[in-house]
């Protein structure tokens, strides 16, 4: 038989028949059609056939790189079970455990159905969290996938005046203001004008 891996090939017939094999690494429908490579032929070559190439055996659980987010909303982490060529194994149903590097963003069990699973991850701290997998349930699959995700500060909810050091007359005293989100992370994205007033015998502006 003839084995071909490209989109097309030329097959030599012998005694009225020929066989061919093709190899693809991706799932999906494949349509087979004929073409005439001889300019002197008047053959009818309209015959076509289709077949579906399905996934292989489950080899690994992969964490899909999640989009960064903020502490105000959970971040959805997606998991896929792949065969050796990276195709999603649509028949796979099993659980794995998500492990995180943060004590404020705990992981947990991920239920995979039809080769896909999701986990809603929340955090109250501005930080980068490393995500990994633990095969505590004995799936036997490769669970070495690692990703990281950033939890940025949330929307500003308050601005506070840091307690300044006492000063001396005729010397400027520095006053620091800090913007915080709802979880007391510094809102590093904050940029606005804010009024500052002083009462008593002191005067100043900012």
């Amino acid at each position: 038989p003839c084995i071909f891996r490209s989109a097309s090939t030329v097959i030599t017939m012998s005694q009225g028949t020929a066989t061919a094999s093709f190899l693809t690494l991706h799932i999906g429908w494949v349509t087979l059609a004929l073409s005439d490579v001889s300019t002197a032929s008047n053959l009818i070559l309209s015959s076509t056939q289709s077949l579906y190439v399905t996934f292989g055996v489950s080899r690994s659980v992969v964490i899909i790189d999640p989009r960064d987010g903020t502490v105000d909303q959970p971040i959805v982490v997606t998991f896929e079970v792949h065969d050796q060529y990276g195709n999603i194994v649509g028949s796979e149903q099993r659980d794995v455990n998500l492990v995180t590097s943060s004590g404020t963003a705990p992981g947990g069990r991920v239920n995979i159905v039809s080769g896909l699973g999701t986990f809603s991850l929340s955090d109250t701290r501005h930080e980068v969290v490393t995500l990994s997998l633990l095969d505590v349930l004995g799936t036997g699959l490769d669970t070495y996938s690692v990703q990281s995700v950033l939890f940025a500060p949330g929307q500003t909810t308050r601005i506070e005046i840091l307690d300044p050091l006492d000063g001396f007359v005729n010397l400027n005293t520095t006053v620091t203001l800090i913007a915080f989100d709802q979880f007391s992370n510094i809102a590093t994205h904050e940029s606005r004008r804010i009024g500052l007033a002083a009462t008593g015998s002191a005067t100043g502006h900012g």
Side-chain angles (χ1 to χ4, degrees):
C2 172
I3 300 176
F4 62 102
R5 303 188 183 191
S6 59
S8 63
T9 190
V10 176
I11 301 172
T12 301
M13 300 191 70
S14 176
Q15 297 181 346
T17 65
T19 60
S21 299
F22 74 94
L23 176 67
T24 178
L25 305 182
H26 304 289
I27 63 175
W29 284 98
V30 176
T31 300
L32 304 175
L34 301 174
S35 63
D36 193 353
V37 297
S38 173
T39 58
S41 174
N42 293 317
L43 296 176
I44 298 173
L45 301 173
S46 58
S47 176
T48 62
Q49 294 291 343
S50 296
L51 60 95
Y52 187 79
V53 179
T54 191
F55 42 78
V57 177
S58 299
R59 291 294 181 89
S60 61
V61 183
V62 177
I63 306 172
I64 305 303
D65 190 11
R67 290 186 177 183
D68 295 335
T70 74
V71 295
D72 286 341
Q73 298 290 337
I75 293 175
V76 177
V77 184
T78 300
F79 305 82
E80 296 177 354
V81 177
H82 289 180
D83 64 14
Q84 61 179 323
Y85 300 114
N87 300 299
I88 298 175
V89 181
S91 62
E92 191 61 66
Q93 302 194 47
R94 66 179 80 198
D95 292 346
V96 294
N97 266 35
L98 172 65
V99 179
T100 75
S101 61
S102 171
T104 56
R109 181 168 295 190
V110 179
N111 181 232
I112 294 176
V113 178
S114 300
L116 298 172
T118 59
F119 189 92
S120 183
L121 187 67
S122 298
D123 200 349
T124 59
R125 188 167 59 192
H126 171 207
E127 62 179 343
V128 174
V129 179
T130 300
L131 312 175
S132 59
L133 295 169
L134 187 62
D135 189 15
V136 296
L137 303 176
T139 67
L141 300 179
D142 176 356
T143 54
Y144 297 119
S145 180
V146 176
Q147 295 288 353
S148 60
V149 64
L150 169 66
F151 282 91
Q155 293 185 354
T156 303
T157 57
R158 72 184 193 278
I159 297 175
E160 294 187 2
I161 306 171
L162 287 190
D163 188 12
L165 295 174
D166 294 336
F168 298 91
V169 295
N170 202 34
L171 290 176
N172 290 329
T173 298
T174 300
V175 179
T176 301
L177 310 181
I178 298 184
F180 293 99
D181 66 14
Q182 62 174 323
F183 299 112
S184 296
N185 299 293
I186 297 178
T188 53
H189 55 77
E190 188 59 70
S191 178
R192 71 173 74 193
R193 293 167 60 86
I194 195 78
L196 177 64
T199 60
S201 60
T203 60
H205 62 279

